[in-house]
Amino acid sequence: MKAAVIVFPGSNCDTDMFHAVKDFTAAEVVEFVPHTANSVADYDAIFIPGGFSYGDYLRTGAIARFAPVMKSVSKEAAKGKTIVGVCNGFQILQEAGLLPGAMKRNKDLKFICRTVGLKIENHNTRFTSEYAKGDVLQVPIAHGEGNFECDDEALQKLHDNNQIVFTYVNDVNGSKSQIAGIQNEEGNVLGMMPHPERAMEAWLGSEDGRQLFTSVYRHWREMNVVTN
Amino acid sequence: MRDVFSMGARPIALLNSLRFGPLDTPRVRYLFEEVVAGIAGYGNCVGVPTVGGEVQFDRSYDGNPLVNAMCVGLIDHSNLQKGVAAGVGNTVMYVGASTGRDGIHGATFASEELNEESQAKRPSVQVGDPFTEKRVLEACLELVELESLVGIQDMGAAGLTSSSAEMASKAGSGINMNLNLVPQRETNMTPYEMMLSESQERMLLVVKKGHESEIEEICEKWDLDVASIGEVTDDRNLTLYFDGQVVADVPVTALTDDAPVYEVESIEPVSFKENQAKDWKPASITDYNETLKDLLQRPTIASKEWVYDQYDHMVQTNTVVVPGSDAAVLRIRGTKKALAMTMDGNSRYIKLDPENGGKLAVAEAARNIVCSGAKPLALTDCLNYGSPEQPNIYWQMKESTKGMSDACRTLSTPVISGNVSLYNETSGEAIYPTPIIGMVGLVEDTAHITMQQAKQAGDLVYVLGEGSAHFGGSELQLMQDDEISGIVPKIDLDVEASRQQLVLRTIQAGVVQSAHDLAEGGLAVALTEKVMGTSLGLTVTLSKDANTLFSEAPSRYVFTVKASDADQFESLMPEARAIGHITDDAQVIVNDDYGQSYINASTEELTRIWKGAIPCLLKSKA
C-alpha cells in the first residue's frame, strides 16, 4: 500500500498521522504530499490530517478545499480510493463536498482536548473491519468546531445507508445523534473528529486507534494481493 | 516559541503559569476565561502541545494578572544557531509577518504601573497570528539547515531596534538598514514606528552575501514576506536610512551593552520582622472532613481540568504524562529518554519571607520533576515584581533571587534563561513578589516514568518527611483568615537535596508505583489527590492535628508501593513511614491512633467537588 499524508499550511497532526501509518501498518510507502501537488493518483490511501489549515480563517477547511491537491483527491475519491480525514481533515472533506454535513462550534463554545469513549456503530467498513460492532474505544478529541450538523433528510440518509461509523458515548460537543465519524455512501471516504493517530500506544493513553489503520491496510491487501 | 525555534530547535511543549485575583468578580472571570482561550487559540493552532503549568488565585493580582509562558524545544546540537550579525557585507533579511503599528512601546507598556488610563493604551498590545507563527516556525527550521545562514533572531521586545542592535553587538559589527524596504501592513509608517513596532511573528536574519535567493525560496514556499533590508558593516554603528536620508546613526553598544546600571535602595519592610516575631496558629479544627473538602474547593488547589481541557496537550503524540500530575512527561522519539517539565512558584511564601520563599519555589519545582522519575536538569525563571524603585520591593527582589540562587546551587540546577516583568502595580498597590520557576528534568529510561495517581488496591502508602507548626502563607491560613502572616515553613536545602536524590534512586530501582510531592493543602490534600478520578480509595492512620494534615512544610512526599516491594522500598528509604494502604472501596478514610475515623468521604464526592470548584465559580453571576 502506498499512503499519502496531505500537508496544508497549518496542518499540525501530519507527523502523528505519518507515524501511525508508517509504524503500525505494513504500508510500503508513506509520504507527505504538499497542498500544491497536482496529483495523488499514485497512492492507494490518502490521509488528511488534523490541524488548523489556513489558520481556520473564514471557516474550518473552507480555504483548504481550494488547494490544488484537493482536485486530485476528489477525483481519486470518485474512483473509489480510500480517503481518511481526521479532525480538520474531516472538515476539509465536508467543505469539498465529499462528505455531508457541517461543523458548528462545540456546544459550550470551547476547545476540548480530552480522551473520550467512541462507539463503533458500523464495523462493516473498510475503516473498521478489525473492530466489532458496539466496541467502545478510548480516543482523544481535540477540536473547537466538531459539533456535527446536518438537516433531517441528510441525517435520515446517514442512518439508512449505515454511514454513521462512530458515535460519542457521551454528548461531548453537541453533535447531532452524537455523530463522531461518517463515511460517504460508497464507503470509501471516512471523516472523523476524534484522533485515532493519537491512540496508537498504550503508554501514551490508548492504543484503540490501531485497528483503524490496520483495517485500511487489510482492505487494500484483500483487494490487491492475490493469495494462493 | 520564536526564541526557541530561532535557535534551531523544534518546540515540543508549552507550559504556562497564571495568576489572577479571586474569581468573585465578573472582571476577573472574564480575564481568566479569555486568557485561557487566548493561550489555547495560539498554542493549539501552531501545533505545540500545552502540557502543564499552574494557576493561582490571590487578591494581590486583582488588577494585575500575570501570564508567564514557557516553551521547551528539542535540537540537534549541530543545528544550534546564534543571533549574530557577522561577516561584513553580508545581507540583513527580514522574514515573517509585515510590520504594523501594533505593539509600539509594548515593552514599555508592560513595565508600566497600570491605572485608569491604561485602557487607552490597548494599541500597545501586540496582535498575534498563530497561522503565521506556524509557517514562520516551519520555515525557520528549514532555514537553519542552510550553510548560508549566519545568524537569526526573533524581533521581540522593541522589535527591529533590539534585534538588529543585539545581533550586531554579539558579532562586534555594525548594521545599515533601509527602512523603505521593510514589509509594512500600514501606510505612511515613520521610521520611529517601524523601529519600535512589536508586530509578532517576525525574524531578522543575516545571510551570506549572494545567497539571498535560498532564503527567498523557503519563505515563498511558506508564503511569508521576505526582504533584504540591509547589510552588515564594520563601523559598529546602527545606521538607518529612510527616503534616502540617514535617520539614525548610533553606536551599537549604546543600545545594548552600555545600559546604565542603577544602584537602587533596598529596605527591609517592617512587616518582615513582625511576621517573624508573631507566628500564626490555625483556629482549632472541629470537622476535619469539612476542612478537607473546603480546601479541595480552593481554586488554587482545585482541579485545573477546566483550563487544560482547552489546551491541545497531545499533538505531536509524545505526551506520556498529561496535565494534572506533578510534572508533565514527554518521550523523545527514537530514544529511551523522556523529558519532565513543570512550572511552579508560591508567592505567598515569598511575600512573607522572600529568601526562604525563593528557595521553596526552586525546591518545589525540582520535587515535581523528581516525583515523575526525572533528574532536574536546569530551569528558567519569570521574575514578576512591583516597582523596583520602591526600596521594599527591591528588597523582595534581592532576597528572593538570593534564595533561588542558593537553591539552584545546592540542587545543581543552572538557570539557563528567563525574563523579568517589573512595575506590576495597580494604583500604587504591588503584586506579591512572584518569581515563577520553569524546570526541565531528564528521565534516563522511560521505565522510570512515575505518576502521582495510585495504581491499584492493596498497595502500601508511605510518607517521607514531617509536617511543621508554621502555617505562614499556607492555604489553610488564607482560608481561615483571608490574609497571610507569620512564619513560612523553613527549608533546609541539604535535606531537600539528599531527599531528592534518595527519591530518584528509589524510583529508578523500580519499587515505587506512584509518587507525589506535598504542596498547598499539605498531606491531606496530597493523599486525596492520589486517588482523585480513580475507583480507588485509601485508609491511613495519622494523628489528628493540623500540623500533620495541613502543614505545607517542604521536602515531603507520598508514595504508593506494592506490598511485595515493601521490604526493598523500606531498605532504600528507611526514613519513610508506612501510614496505610490503597483500597478498592473508593473511600478516603483517615483514622486517628485509636482507629477512629475522622476523615471519611467517598472518592467520587471528593473528586466531584475538586473538579467542580472552578467551573462552578465561573458560572456564578454574583
Side-chain angles (χ1 to χ4, degrees), chain A residues 7-16 19 23 35 51-57 110-115 140-142 195 197-199 201 203-205, chain B residues 33 40-41 43-48 128-132 134-135 221-222 306 308-320 331 333 446 449 451:
Chain A
V7 185
F8 296 95
S11 294
N12 64 27
C13 303
D14 42 337
T15 307
D16 302 345
H19 279 291
D23 302 349
H35 68 292
F52 289 68
S53 60
Y54 300 92
D56 271 0
Y57 295 140
K110 287 186 169 36
F111 191 94
I112 310 171
C113 178
R114 194 190 301 164
T115 297
I141 57 167
H195 289 271
E197 82 284 5
R198 295 188 185 187
E201 295 168 80
W203 70 307
L204 299 184
Chain B
E33 295 203 32
N44 295 354
C45 181
V46 181
V48 180
D129 174 7
F131 176 53
T132 305
K134 169 74 174 165
R135 288 177 295 137
K221 174 177 161 194
W222 291 101
W306 182 90
Y308 62 73
D309 229 31
Q310 298 181 55
Y311 300 147
D312 189 337
H313 46 263
M314 305 173 188
V315 63
Q316 298 189 16
T317 50
N318 294 318
T319 316
V320 184
R331 58 113 172 252
R333 250 181 221 282
T446 50
I449 295 172
M451 298 192 211

Side-chain angles (χ1 to χ4, degrees), chain B residues 415-438:
Chain B
V415 181
I416 57 161
S417 65
N419 70 356
V420 177
S421 167
L422 302 175
Y423 299 93
N424 290 292
E425 302 194 358
T426 306
S427 309
E429 209 41 52
I431 58 162
Y432 284 171
T434 316
I436 301 291
I437 309 296

Side-chain angles (χ1 to χ4, degrees), chain B residues 191-267:
Chain B
Y192 179 88
E193 289 170 329
M194 277 186 258
M195 289 305 288
L196 285 179
S197 163
E198 291 183 15
S199 290
Q200 302 285 289
E201 296 96 19
R202 303 179 302 159
M203 308 293 284
L204 197 65
L205 276 57
V206 170
V207 180
K208 279 186 191 153
K209 192 165 180 59
H211 293 262
E212 298 80 1
S213 60
E214 297 167 26
I215 307 293
E216 285 159 4
E217 202 173 303
I218 289 176
C219 291
E220 271 154 29
K221 174 177 161 194
W222 291 101
D223 207 6
L224 294 167
D225 272 324
V226 54
S228 298
I229 60 169
E231 61 170 358
V232 178
T233 64
D234 59 1
D235 64 3
R236 311 193 69 168
N237 272 13
L238 183 63
T239 312
L240 306 175
Y241 296 87
F242 184 69
D243 288 347
Q245 306 272 317
V246 173
V247 290
D249 192 5
V250 195
V252 161
T253 50
L255 296 168
T256 53
D257 310 309
D258 299 342
V261 176
Y262 293 108
E263 293 296 338
V264 187
E265 195 182 10
S266 162
I267 299 177

Side-chain angles (χ1 to χ4, degrees), chain A residues 155-214:
Chain A
L155 186 64
Q156 194 54 48
K157 230 172 117 186
L158 287 175
H159 281 290
D160 293 347
N161 297 328
N162 288 320
Q163 285 175 254
I164 301 170
V165 183
F166 303 101
T167 55
Y168 299 109
V169 173
N170 298 307
D171 177 18
V172 288
N173 56 15
S175 288
K176 210 162 231 183
S177 297
Q178 294 182 199
I179 286 173
I182 55 171
Q183 61 176 4
N184 62 348
E185 262 185 85
E186 295 74 21
N188 66 312
V189 179
L190 173 80
M192 62 190 297
M193 288 311 291
H195 289 271
E197 82 284 5
R198 295 188 185 187
M200 304 301 285
E201 295 168 80
W203 70 307
L204 299 184
S206 168
E207 56 181 15
D208 293 350
R210 285 188 185 189
Q211 289 94 318
L212 185 130
F213 296 93
T214 51

Side-chain angles (χ1 to χ4, degrees), chain B residues 340-356:
Chain B
M341 47 197 85
T342 185
M343 278 183 103
D344 240 302
N346 187 327
S347 55
R348 298 203 292 261
Y349 302 150
I350 296 168
K351 168 75 176 170
L352 292 174
D353 186 350
E355 186 185 347
N356 189 44

Side-chain angles (χ1 to χ4, degrees), chain A residues 80-138:
Chain A
K81 286 264 180 76
T82 298
I83 319 271
V84 176
V86 169
C87 200
N88 189 225
F90 185 6
Q91 295 161 340
I92 294 169
L93 291 173
Q94 286 180 319
E95 288 289 338
L98 294 174
L99 288 172
M103 294 299 170
K104 298 192 295 185
R105 288 190 68 189
N106 295 344
K107 61 175 177 182
D108 63 359
L109 305 180
K110 287 186 169 36
F111 191 94
I112 310 171
C113 178
R114 194 190 301 164
T115 297
V116 300
L118 201 61
K119 199 167 140 205
I120 301 284
E121 295 291 340
N122 184 354
H123 69 290
N124 290 317
T125 80
R126 65 173 76 176
F127 311 102
T128 51
S129 60
E130 303 218 331
Y131 295 106
K133 186 175 168 72
D135 271 1
V136 172
L137 325 177
Q138 294 298 315

